[in-house]
């Protein structure tokens, strides 16, 4: 039988046997597809922190319950002329405030708490945060007159908060400010981990390492989604420990010898400030603090026990004139080259209490935030022109990041084992790079979502579904004005900054419309009048002609006359100068 030729199905296997026929019957019932298992769904909306560094704000929603994670600000770019800060658009929150059960703040940096006071002026929502973060928030609320009007609830790592259908556990993480936490968000749809800003520091200054075991425990139980910090997703390796900076400070302080030391750092980095004070104390130098935000943090940090100031080391900025250079350390804001910061003013001799000299030794203990490189370089160049030695960026280990690099980000993914992955807190290039790291950790691309501000997604075991966008965007704060500066105003400011303004002033007879006096031409930021008298005279003659032709004795259309004047003068100025100044006609009736 082994060598017997195998016959195809349907052929006669025995020529003497009857041919056998096989018939196939249709199924008596149509096959019914198995319905998709019903699962609970949770919504996540992004009001900030996507495709940008700063302005972090995330909204979670399950049925009729909502809660918010963080409410930060962003600092204006160079295009936002005159704007002080940028905050999220709170329209969606205000429209649904009765559903919002609370706000949880992950840590005390401005990009996570800076917009809070502006939101709490609009709606009353309880705020939950750790001890130091609450202290910094309370200080901000006092500035806005809200200290007694907001419910502040102090919590600590491993605490659980119930907000409607949500139960949230706080998980301790390392960052460049103490008391930072990540969140394990539990609801009927599953567990969502939001890391907040984090790094993995095995030798932190405060001795309290990130709670990796707790993240791992949730990973073993099952994590529906991970929302993870993407700031350093482009940087390979692991982030250095903050404790390494202290050794660099000691080396640099010795190299300063008889010079006065000025250190610029992030105002919120208490660990960095502590290390500077400790090294200064060991070398018998006094410390003065410059910059309002830095002064506030030193006050709050020392009051709450997060900053141990050696006795007698701290002096006021007014007292620095009483000490020789080799006995002084000045800690200042301005590590990002902000135009109004203390270091920037010092570098251009505009600070009222600190004057720069060649005997100064400046240490910039920070890495420029993406987009700030030019401003930082401007400050460094201004200092060097005055003969000052400047230590910056990677010249020495005077700064380590507070954000996880690639190996640490992959470790977080490996510990939590999420089904879905959403990179947050970063520009587009950071989010995409972080997404590629997740793919390398065997998370399918269809389970990764890269969002934008205003996106609302629905998350369940069955997948991620993008819903209609929610109202979102940027609100500009300029002085006391919130939201009253928009694109029209910014466009006017841009024109004024680039091409200046021409003002045409003319007095007209109210009854006849005839010119009584003028027109007078005033130029600001356009041309120097004394060197362009011919152009100004030509503009004056044109204005006279246009105004005279625009009126008759029966009807005076002031708006039409102004528009005609703008058009004609704008055409003249562009023909002569190729510039387009703003034209502002002012008619006075007499």
């Amino acid at each position: 039988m082994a060598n017997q030729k195998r016959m195809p199905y349907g052929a006669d296997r025995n020529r003497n046997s009857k041919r056998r026929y096989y018939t196939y019957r249709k199924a008596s019932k149509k096959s019914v597809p198995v319905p998709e298992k019903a699962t609970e769904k949770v919504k996540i909306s992004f009001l900030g922190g996507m495709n940008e560094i700063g302005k972090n704000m995330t909204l979670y929603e399950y049925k009729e319950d909502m809660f918010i994670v963080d409410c930060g600000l962003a600092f204006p770019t160079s295009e936002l002329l005159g704007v002080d800060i940028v905050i999220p658009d709170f329209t969606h929150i205000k429209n649904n405030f009765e559903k919002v059960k609370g706000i949880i703040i992950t840590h005390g940096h401005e990009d996570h708490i800076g917009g809070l006071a502006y939101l709490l002026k609009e709606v009353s929502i309880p705020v939950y945060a750790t001890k130091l973060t609450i202290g910094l928030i309370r200080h901000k609320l006092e500035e806005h007159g809200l200290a007694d009007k907001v419910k502040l609830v102090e919590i600590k790592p491993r605490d659980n908060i119930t907000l409607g259908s949500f139960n949230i556990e706080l998980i301790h993480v390392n960052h460049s400010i103490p008391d930072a936490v990540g969140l394990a968000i539990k609801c009927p749809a599953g567990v969502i981990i939001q890391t907040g800003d984090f790094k993995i520091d095995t030798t932190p200054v405060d001795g309290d390492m990130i709670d990796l075991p707790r993240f791992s425990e949730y990973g073993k139980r099952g994590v529906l989604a991970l929302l993870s910090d993407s700031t350093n997703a482009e940087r390979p390796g692991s982030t250095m420990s903050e404790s390494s900076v202290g050794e660099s400070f000691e080396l640099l302080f010795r190299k300063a010898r008889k010079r006065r030391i000025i250190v610029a750092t992030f105002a919120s980095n208490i660990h960095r400030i502590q290390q500077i004070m400790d090294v200064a104390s060991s070398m018998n130098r006094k410390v003065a603090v410059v910059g309002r935000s830095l002064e506030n943090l030193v006050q709050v940090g020392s009051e709450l026990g997060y900053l141990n100031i050696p006795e007698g080391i701290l002096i006021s900025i007014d007292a620095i004139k009483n000490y020789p250079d080799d006995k002084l350390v000045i800690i200042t804001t301005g590590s990002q080259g902000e135009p109004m910061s203390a270091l920037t003013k010092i570098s251009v001799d505009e600070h009222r209490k600190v004057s720069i000299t060649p005997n100064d030794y400046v240490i910039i203990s920070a890495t420029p935030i993406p987009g700030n490189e030019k401003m930082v370089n401007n400050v460094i160049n201004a200092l060097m022109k005055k003969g000052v030695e400047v230590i910056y960026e990677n010249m020495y280990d005077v700064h380590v990041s507070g954000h996880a690099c690639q190996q640490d980000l992959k470790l977080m993914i490996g510990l939590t084992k999420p089904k879905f992955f959403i990179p947050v807190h970063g520009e587009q290039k950071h989010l995409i790079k972080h997404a590629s790291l997740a793919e390398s950790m065997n998370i399918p691309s269809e389970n990764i979502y890269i969002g934008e501000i205003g996106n609302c997604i629905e998350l369940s075991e069955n997948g991620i579904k993008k819903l209609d966008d929610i109202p979102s965007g940027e609100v500009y704060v300029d002085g006391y004005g919130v939201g009253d500066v928009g694109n029209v105003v910014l466009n006017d400011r841009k024109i004024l900054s680039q091409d200046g303004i021409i003002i045409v002033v003319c007095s007209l007879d109210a009854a006849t419309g005839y010119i009584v006096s003028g027109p007078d031409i005033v130029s600001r930021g356009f041309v120097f009048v004394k060197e362009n008298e011919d152009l100004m005279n030509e503009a004056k003659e044109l204005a006279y002609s246009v105004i005279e032709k625009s009126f008759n004795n029966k009807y005076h259309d002031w708006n039409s006359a102004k528009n005609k004047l703008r058009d004609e003068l704008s055409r003249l100025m562009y023909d002569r100068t190729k510039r387009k100044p703003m034209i502002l006609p002012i008619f006075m009736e007499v």
Side-chain angles (χ1 to χ4, degrees), residues 235-491:
R235 298 186 182 183
S238 297
T239 308
M240 291 177 60
S241 172
E242 179 68 30
S243 59
S244 64
V245 178
E247 299 173 6
S248 296
F249 277 135
E250 187 168 351
L251 172 64
L252 290 171
F253 278 29
R254 294 190 187 282
K255 288 187 66 176
R257 296 185 179 87
K258 298 292 183 179
R259 289 175 287 181
R260 183 175 65 174
I261 300 171
I262 300 176
V263 184
T265 188
F266 288 109
S268 57
N269 197 332
I270 286 184
H271 295 146
R272 192 74 46 82
I273 295 166
Q274 182 69 68
Q275 292 181 98
I276 294 169
M277 288 190 173
D278 289 343
V279 176
S281 177
S282 69
M283 298 185 179
N284 297 316
R285 287 179 180 255
K286 300 292 184 182
V287 175
V289 176
V290 184
R292 185 179 177 187
S293 56
L294 192 55
E295 293 167 7
N296 291 341
L297 187 87
V298 169
Q299 178 185 340
V300 173
S302 59
E303 288 175 355
L304 298 179
Y306 289 88
L307 192 60
N308 180 26
I309 302 175
E311 187 175 353
I313 192 174
L314 200 60
I315 62 173
S316 71
I317 195 64
D318 294 314
I320 61 173
K321 58 181 180 293
N322 301 325
Y323 295 87
D325 287 351
D326 62 345
K327 296 298 181 184
L328 281 175
V329 174
I330 298 174
I331 308 176
T332 179
T333 57
S335 63
Q336 296 303 304
E338 305 94 320
M340 299 305 294
S341 66
L343 183 62
T344 301
K345 290 182 177 179
I346 291 170
S347 70
V348 293
D349 294 326
E350 291 182 0
H351 198 279
R352 292 180 298 172
K353 298 180 179 179
V354 181
S355 298
I356 201 77
T357 73
N359 202 45
D360 285 321
Y361 187 73
V362 177
I363 303 170
I364 299 180
S365 181
T367 299
I369 294 171
N372 289 356
E373 294 88 351
K374 184 174 179 59
M375 292 192 296
V376 174
N377 288 335
N378 289 340
V379 172
I380 293 172
N381 289 331
L383 290 167
M384 287 184 170
K385 285 180 180 179
K386 293 178 169 57
V388 177
E389 183 176 355
V390 184
I391 307 299
Y392 59 95
E393 289 192 44
N394 298 323
M395 294 175 67
Y396 293 87
D397 293 329
V398 293
H399 175 70
V400 297
S401 177
H403 301 270
C405 293
Q406 290 180 359
Q407 286 303 114
D408 298 337
L409 294 174
K410 290 166 72 173
L411 178 58
M412 180 60 71
I413 295 170
L415 289 174
T416 55
K417 301 179 178 67
K419 182 172 185 178
F420 301 102
F421 179 73
I422 304 172
V424 296
H425 197 291
E427 297 176 358
Q428 185 72 11
K429 61 178 183 175
H430 303 129
L431 303 182
I432 290 175
K433 186 62 179 179
H434 203 174
S436 69
L437 293 177
E439 281 195 73
S440 73
M441 299 289 291
N442 297 319
I443 297 180
S445 59
E446 61 269 20
N447 286 8
I448 299 173
Y449 182 81
I450 298 177
E452 296 181 1
I453 294 174
N455 284 175
C456 176
I457 61 172
E458 189 175 71
L459 188 64
S460 71
E461 286 288 345
N462 293 331
I464 298 175
K465 179 182 178 182
K466 186 180 181 301
L467 305 179
D468 292 338
D469 286 353
I470 63 171
S472 63
E474 297 180 334
V475 174
Y476 305 132
V477 178
D478 187 354
Y480 288 120
V482 180
D484 58 347
V485 174
N487 290 331
V488 174
V489 173
L490 288 174
N491 189 53

Side-chain angles (χ1 to χ4, degrees), residues 168-192:
I168 304 100
E169 179 181 342
L170 278 67
I171 305 176
H172 173 71
V173 299
N174 297 130
H175 190 39
S176 54
I177 188 171
D179 267 8
V181 293
L183 306 176
I185 301 162
K186 292 158 279 185
C187 69
V191 176
I192 300 168

